[in-house]
Amino acid sequence: INPIYNIEWPSLRNARLLLVGIANSLDLTERTLTRLNARCELKPKHIHFPPYTKQQIVEIFKSRLEEAEVLDIFPPVAIGLLAAKVSAVSGDVRRALDIGRRAVEIAEQQKKAGNKEVNLQKFVMETEGNIENLCKDILKPVQVTHVAAVVNKVYSASQSLHEDIEQSFPLQQKIMLCSLMLMLRNQRNKNITIGRLHKVYRRVCNKRNIHSLDQAEFVGLVNLVQTRGILHIINKKEPRFGKVQLSWDEEEVTAALCDKQLIASILDDTASLNK
């Protein structure tokens, strides 16, 4: 029996104890601690902390550099690339800091002979550590190529979204993605279900005399795009209620879609959002 089931203190009368657990999955208690849901006084309350966005990662990363007084070694474009890749995949700021540390190490290794050796291991500390006594030497600036090399190594392969969409995405998948981007860019409610997305997708297709898929086929199409890592679907009992989330950075996806006239016109077709 899981020992958590035996902790009765939070349910005692006048108890002032809160038991807080941290997990990477919101449904952890439903999957492994199902008995907690059987008692109202012990039923867990979920607090969702979303992944960091690209802009948040940029701000955190720059603040670390400023504290270390080495902000000038990372050009803004290098920071932007790092933040875009990490936010698109996981939003884990620890991974962003680790990639930054590795990129600095690569830059340091490429310094010309005769430069003073600098201990760069302290450039980015672990999440739980404090930034103290960081190097203040003049360093070789980190280039975009350094960041790209580390990102490619960390994520096993280069993820060129533009080439992937251009070369291997059928038209129906492109229209679905454009419909999703149209909703994300122009609607306040970002809680997009497959059912809502299908309605907008169908209007977009009808206006352009393009055959649209029925809902069952559309669900399969969305699931197929999810396997490419661009989308994440939170499945529900009813497929049309499944929530669609964009895993990649919005700016990157938009840039990859905007090069064709048909696709670009869909991204601006706000009329298709109306009922």
Side-chain angles (χ1 to χ4, degrees), residues 16 32 44 63 72 140 158 162 227 275:
R16 302 178 64 183
T32 63
S63 71
D72 57 336
K140 180 178 180 179
S158 176
H162 185 279
T227 64
K275 296 181 179 181

Side-chain angles (χ1 to χ4, degrees), residues 144-237:
V144 172
T145 53
H146 299 145
V147 174
V150 178
V151 168
N152 292 342
K153 185 175 181 180
V154 169
Y155 296 116
S156 299
S158 176
Q159 302 181 66
S160 177
L161 182 61
H162 185 279
E163 293 180 2
D164 194 18
I165 289 179
E166 178 63 24
Q167 297 177 7
S168 62
F169 268 57
L171 179 61
Q172 291 287 349
Q173 293 184 17
K174 291 181 181 180
I175 294 176
M176 182 278 292
L177 270 178
C178 286
S179 300
L180 176 62
M181 296 306 302
L182 177 66
M183 297 173 74
L184 289 172
R185 293 170 62 188
N186 296 282
Q187 292 187 341
R188 292 184 179 181
N189 184 3
K190 309 299 183 182
N191 189 22
I192 299 175
T193 63
I194 292 179
R196 284 182 58 209
L197 178 58
H198 180 250
K199 290 180 180 179
V200 174
Y201 153 85
R202 191 170 55 188
R203 295 190 198 109
V204 167
C205 289
N206 291 341
K207 289 181 65 174
R208 290 158 180 81
N209 294 320
I210 297 174
H211 170 72
S212 62
L213 303 177
D214 61 31
Q215 192 166 87
E217 294 172 322
F218 186 77
V219 170
L221 181 144
V222 175
N223 282 316
L224 182 60
V225 175
Q226 179 184 218
T227 64
R228 297 174 180 265
I230 298 175
L231 303 178
H232 173 63
I233 302 174
I234 302 176
N235 291 314
K236 300 292 183 181
K237 191 173 182 180

Side-chain angles (χ1 to χ4, degrees), residues 89-158:
V89 177
S90 64
D92 188 340
V93 73
R94 296 169 298 180
R95 177 57 60 85
L97 295 175
D98 183 60
I99 290 174
R101 176 183 59 80
R102 297 190 198 184
V104 172
E105 290 175 349
I106 292 177
E108 192 274 339
Q109 291 170 2
Q110 294 180 355
K111 288 168 60 178
K112 293 182 179 181
N115 283 358
K116 181 180 178 181
E117 291 295 326
V118 179
N119 181 12
L120 296 175
Q121 296 293 335
K122 296 181 180 179
F123 165 60
V124 178
M125 308 299 288
E126 295 296 331
T127 304
E128 58 273 13
N130 294 320
I131 299 181
E132 297 177 355
N133 302 321
L134 294 172
C135 57
K136 298 181 181 180
D137 302 70
I138 298 176
L139 307 177
K140 180 178 180 179
V142 175
Q143 303 299 322
V144 172
T145 53
H146 299 145
V147 174
V150 178
V151 168
N152 292 342
K153 185 175 181 180
V154 169
Y155 296 116
S156 299
S158 176

Side-chain angles (χ1 to χ4, degrees), residues 49-64 79 82-84 86-87 91-93 96-97 249:
F49 295 91
Y52 287 101
T53 64
K54 175 185 175 181
Q55 187 56 38
Q56 289 173 329
I57 292 176
V58 168
E59 293 173 357
I60 293 172
F61 197 87
K62 289 177 68 174
S63 71
R64 290 296 184 96
I79 299 177
L82 187 157
V86 174
S87 65
D92 188 340
V93 73
L97 295 175
D249 181 74

